Amino acid sequence: MRPCTTVMHLLLRCMRGCARHSRNRMPRILRQLVSYIKLIFKSLYFNSLTNSEVVLDCILEPVFWTVEVVTRWFGMVFVFLVVALTSSVVFIAYVCLLPLVLQTYSTGWMMWHICYGNWILVMIVFHYYKATNTPPGYPPKMKNEVPFVSFCKKCVIPKPARSHHCGICKTCILKMDHHCPWLNNCVGHYNHRYFFSFCLFLTLGCMYCSISGRNLFIDAYNSIDEISQPPYTYKDRMFHKSVIYMWVLTSTVSVALGSLTLWHALLITRGETSIERHINSKEAKRLAKRGRVYRNPFSYGKLNNWKVFFGVEKRSHWLTRVLLPSGHTPYGDGLTWDIYPLKKDMMPV
């Protein structure tokens, strides 16, 4: 057995020597690349906290980086698209549809369309401007006495409750919901209300255009689809195409943006953001395995969550702060969160 063992030992030493010799012949850049790849794979099982989600995040990191770069550079393009598409619908409504309303509708219906349409337009423009230009809120950079729940490794600052780091803005955001490319801005503590109100009123405006322009769309589509068309003028053809464009655009936005608005309305009712929805779901599942029930510490109750979100402190605020343009600041400073409203109604309806 000893000769066999000696042979195996010599064979192993020979293989190690060959491997070391081939490694020395590798270029320095290639050796560094191999070492870096080994380090990446070792980092995947760095400690016992590593799970499938951590591994997946590491694998998809190049995808996340690409999305962040594209979103950062094309932010102004998305804003331009919102302004251009909205302006085109408003132009068609005033130039093509308003003269038709003045000629065919009764005085009551005419006043209703003019008042409702202009009110919706003012609310859309106001809230979009405020959502894009209002900073979402940032944690303090200097040392302070504000309580924090974690530490941001990228900003190297303490993170208060509900704060998260935005890879596109390269900073932490107070009560971060998400980074919206259509705003070219993060949705956080100070502009969350503006974002939701913009989505809500834009959805209502698109539904209004889609419903009120349905008959005009059918007539315009049939006039273009007919084989033997009557001698329409250039102005008539442009009118028909404009009506079809407006109806298709507003109907599509009504469905897509309406779904997003309903989702955010559900989150507001629960007192959580888009990021917290994912975190709370994981925490609820973890506690459910232990036979416990998770309760969101930032939920004040369904009605109170809406009051806190819109800043409603008395009955008149439902009109002045919800149905009319208002630039009031949100409840709290985004750094600390009181939970006393959980046990009592904080404001009269």
Side-chain angles (χ1 to χ4, degrees):
M1 291 293 294
R2 288 187 63 131
C4 183
T5 305
T6 305
V7 171
M8 291 295 296
H9 183 67
L10 292 174
L11 182 61
L12 288 174
R13 290 185 61 182
C14 181
M15 291 176 64
R16 289 175 184 172
C18 293
R20 193 178 298 110
H21 181 67
S22 61
R23 191 183 302 117
N24 292 334
R25 289 190 302 172
M26 292 173 61
R28 182 180 179 183
I29 297 178
L30 189 58
R31 291 202 306 271
Q32 292 178 348
L33 180 61
V34 172
S35 301
Y36 182 65
I37 293 175
K38 289 182 179 179
L39 179 63
I40 291 177
F41 277 98
K42 288 181 180 179
S43 66
L44 296 179
Y45 48 88
F46 179 71
N47 54 37
S48 60
L49 299 178
T50 302
N51 52 29
S52 59
E53 293 186 358
V54 176
V55 175
L56 185 62
D57 287 341
C58 294
I59 295 175
L60 295 179
E61 186 63 28
V63 179
F64 298 150
W65 179 83
T66 304
V67 172
E68 291 175 359
V69 171
V70 171
T71 305
R72 188 181 306 118
W73 283 101
F74 284 88
M76 292 304 298
V77 176
F78 289 126
V79 173
F80 173 78
L81 286 175
V82 173
V83 175
L85 294 175
T86 306
S87 301
S88 65
V89 173
V90 173
F91 178 81
I92 294 172
Y94 275 95
V95 175
C96 299
L97 302 185
L98 183 59
L100 195 61
V101 170
L102 297 176
Q103 294 174 6
T104 58
Y105 283 23
S106 62
T107 305
W109 276 108
M110 180 180 64
M111 293 301 298
W112 186 87
H113 278 288
I114 293 176
C115 294
Y116 181 82
N118 284 281
W119 169 69
I120 284 288
L121 178 61
V122 170
M123 297 297 285
I124 291 172
V125 173
F126 172 80
H127 287 104
Y128 186 71
Y129 174 80
K130 296 292 286 185
T132 54
N133 289 275
T134 301
Y138 312 103
K141 303 289 185 181
M142 306 301 292
K143 185 178 180 180
N144 57 80
E145 301 299 326
V146 176
F148 61 93
V149 296
S150 61
F151 195 83
C152 181
K153 298 178 181 179
K154 297 182 179 180
C155 294
V156 198
I157 60 172
K159 288 199 302 184
R162 313 188 80 177
S163 298
H164 300 278
H165 184 85
C166 176
I168 299 173
C169 296
K170 299 297 184 182
T171 185
C172 288
I173 306 297
L174 296 178
K175 191 195 165 189
M176 180 179 176
D177 188 90
H178 68 288
H179 184 94
C180 181
W182 301 103
L183 301 179
N184 193 29
N185 196 8
C186 259
V187 177
H189 178 64
Y190 288 101
N191 65 347
H192 194 181
R193 177 177 66 89
Y194 297 129
F195 164 77
F196 177 78
S197 297
F198 165 71
C199 293
L200 175 63
F201 288 108
L202 185 59
T203 300
L204 293 177
C206 290
M207 291 176 62
Y208 164 72
C209 292
S210 178
I211 295 173
S212 60
R214 176 180 175 274
N215 293 331
L216 288 175
F217 164 76
I218 294 175
D219 294 338
Y221 182 80
N222 291 333
S223 64
I224 292 179
D225 194 48
E226 290 176 359
I227 299 177
S228 56
Q229 294 183 356
Y232 289 120
T233 62
Y234 175 78
K235 183 178 179 180
D236 293 335
R237 290 195 298 271
M238 289 302 298
F239 175 82
H240 294 154
K241 292 179 181 180
S242 299
V243 170
I244 293 174
Y245 162 79
M246 184 193 73
W247 191 88
V248 171
L249 177 62
T250 54
S251 299
T252 305
V253 174
S254 297
V255 175
L257 188 60
S259 302
L260 178 65
T261 304
L262 289 176
W263 167 247
H264 279 279
L266 179 62
L267 294 178
I268 295 170
T269 304
R270 294 174 173 174
E272 56 188 10
T273 63
S274 300
I275 297 176
E276 290 170 352
R277 174 60 179 166
H278 176 68
I279 297 174
N280 293 345
S281 297
K282 291 176 58 178
E283 188 67 12
K285 292 179 181 178
R286 185 183 69 85
L287 292 179
K289 294 179 180 178
R290 301 182 179 181
R292 301 168 59 186
V293 178
Y294 174 76
R295 298 188 183 277
N296 181 13
F298 308 114
S299 176
Y300 304 152
K302 294 181 180 179
L303 182 58
N304 279 337
N305 287 336
W306 283 99
K307 294 176 184 178
V308 170
F309 180 78
F310 282 119
V312 175
E313 298 176 358
K314 53 185 179 180
R315 290 185 178 90
S316 61
H317 284 170
W318 290 108
L319 172 64
T320 59
R321 292 189 171 185
V322 179
L323 299 179
L324 292 176
S326 176
H328 65 279
T329 56
Y331 175 80
D333 56 5
L335 298 174
T336 58
W337 300 90
D338 299 326
I339 60 173
Y340 70 88
L342 280 170
K343 296 183 179 180
K344 64 179 182 178
D345 189 53
M346 56 186 299
M347 317 165 201
V349 179

